Amino acid sequence: MLEEVVSTDARENEVTKTCKMLEFPKLKEVELDDLPRFKSITSQSNSDVVPQTLFNQVTFPSMEALDVRNLDCIVKLLGKEMPITSLHKLERMMVSSCDNLPTIAESDSIKLLQKLDFLSVYFCDALEVLFDFEGIKDGSKRNSCLPKFDTS
């Protein structure tokens, strides 16, 4: 039944009015498994803002591992609105059985994955694009946006 970790009412919550991002500075690993109604770490109920990504308005500056399984409601993992300090230490990402997930990372969030050295994606039926470069204007920057994966 879990839909979000932190729920805020944007009209009544003072924290939401003064702070744009919720930060988890010491959290190094996140594992979300078998949560078919889960939409986002944080949301703003009773507002016009609809969470677009799993990490809506939240940062994890120390996160090194992300494991996401069986989350049917998420539409995107990493979106354009994420700050550069969020997930910039992420080394391992595993995504499986997320049936409605069409893309892993949008153009501006790809730069967050510079330390990523392990990526595993399987049983994501709707997945069409791992990394969406559409928003990157300069074609020469596309190759420098992705981490240097070892292909051996």
Side-chain angles (χ1 to χ4, degrees):
M1 301 304 286
L2 185 67
E3 292 183 17
E4 60 218 9
V5 175
V6 178
S7 179
T8 59
D9 183 335
R11 288 180 276 174
E12 296 177 9
N13 191 322
E14 289 302 316
V15 173
T16 304
K17 291 177 185 175
T18 60
C19 184
K20 291 183 180 181
M21 290 283 172
L22 181 61
E23 185 173 311
F24 294 88
K26 295 183 180 183
L27 193 62
K28 292 188 178 197
E29 185 174 329
V30 171
E31 182 177 331
L32 300 168
D33 187 8
D34 201 18
L35 301 167
R37 296 181 62 188
F38 195 81
K39 296 177 185 169
S40 181
I41 299 293
T42 181
S43 72
Q44 292 182 342
S45 59
N46 300 325
S47 75
D48 295 333
V49 178
V50 177
Q52 294 294 309
T53 65
L54 178 65
F55 300 111
N56 183 48
Q57 297 180 330
V58 65
T59 65
F60 296 94
S62 299
M63 186 187 299
E64 297 171 357
L66 173 63
D67 190 355
V68 177
R69 295 183 301 262
N70 299 307
L71 287 134
D72 295 335
C73 289
I74 59 169
V75 177
K76 293 179 226 167
L77 284 182
L78 310 176
K80 294 177 183 175
E81 67 280 353
M82 296 184 70
I84 191 67
T85 56
S86 182
L87 303 176
H88 70 283
K89 292 185 179 180
L90 189 67
E91 296 175 358
R92 300 179 54 79
M93 183 186 312
M94 294 177 282
V95 182
S96 65
S97 302
C98 295
D99 293 336
N100 297 318
L101 181 68
T103 187
I104 298 291
E106 288 187 328
S107 58
D108 291 344
S109 62
I110 293 169
K111 63 184 173 243
L112 300 174
L113 304 176
Q114 292 302 303
K115 296 209 179 210
L116 192 68
D117 67 6
F118 179 84
L119 174 64
S120 174
V121 180
Y122 56 95
F123 300 123
C124 295
D125 295 338
L127 190 66
E128 296 175 0
V129 178
L130 285 178
F131 304 107
D132 183 2
F133 290 107
E134 190 171 316
I136 298 176
K137 305 286 188 258
D138 184 358
S140 65
K141 291 184 181 177
R142 290 180 183 182
N143 290 336
S144 64
C145 288
L146 285 175
K148 307 297 185 232
F149 288 115
D150 182 9
T151 58
S152 57

